[in-house]
Amino acid sequence: MVSLPGLLGVPLPLAAKGLSIGFAVGCVFLLMRARTLFRHPAIHAAAVLTLLADHWFRLASGSGMEASMTAFLALALGLSLLTQPRPTPLNMAAYGALSGLLILSRPEFFVLPAILLFAPRASSPSAGLRGYAVLLFVLALVVVPWLWYALVH
């Protein structure tokens, strides 16, 4: 992520901090948009305020590290799972891509694809199998090139 602005001449430390702040703002934006998932507006407001008040979230937001990007990806995946009770193959592809990016940002998320195989509910068993195949295929498209590069180098 940092290399893209770096190719445009942006100093890498500045690019890292800018991306970190951008993903933190994205987290707040995603949580603000999720107001319909909360039973009461006060609970939604408390969730947003809790995120903004969290010391570690604020510290990570300007650090230039991967924490705010990981939080953004995890929040995007979680909200998508909550809002799509019957995921389509396109949803499953998005889950695979987000899972792969989460694995690349924080390797401990490797357990996430296994959990996702049990989380989404398809309208039929064949649709479920097709969705799982799509999820795993897209996950592999994201993660395998990095694994190949890591093994070669």
Side-chain angles (χ1 to χ4, degrees):
M1 294 293 286
V2 176
S3 65
L4 296 176
L7 290 173
L8 299 173
V10 177
L12 295 181
L14 179 63
K17 288 183 182 283
L19 285 168
S20 185
I21 291 168
F23 279 115
V25 170
C27 284
V28 174
F29 176 75
L30 284 177
L31 194 55
M32 293 290 290
R33 290 205 52 210
R35 69 180 169 276
T36 59
L37 298 175
F38 292 86
R39 294 184 186 270
H40 193 277
I43 297 170
H44 177 246
V48 173
L49 289 174
T50 300
L51 178 67
L52 293 172
D54 186 307
H55 169 71
W56 294 110
F57 178 74
R58 288 182 287 124
L59 183 66
S61 297
S63 70
M65 298 295 284
E66 80 287 346
S68 59
M69 179 181 73
T70 304
F72 177 82
L73 293 170
L75 187 58
L77 180 61
L79 292 175
S80 180
L81 284 167
L82 287 172
T83 58
Q84 298 294 329
R86 300 275 187 240
T88 66
L90 186 60
N91 295 129
M92 295 300 277
Y95 299 162
L98 286 170
S99 298
L101 291 172
L102 278 164
I103 290 168
L104 294 180
S105 68
R106 297 294 307 177
E108 60 268 19
F109 277 98
F110 78 93
V111 298
L112 192 59
I115 294 169
L116 284 177
L117 292 178
F118 297 102
R121 296 170 303 277
S123 57
S124 70
S126 64
L129 289 175
R130 190 170 42 253
Y132 298 143
V134 169
L135 182 142
L136 293 173
F137 178 74
V138 174
L139 172 74
L141 284 178
V142 173
V143 175
V144 168
W146 175 83
L147 285 173
W148 175 80
Y149 179 82
L151 291 171
V152 169
H153 293 85

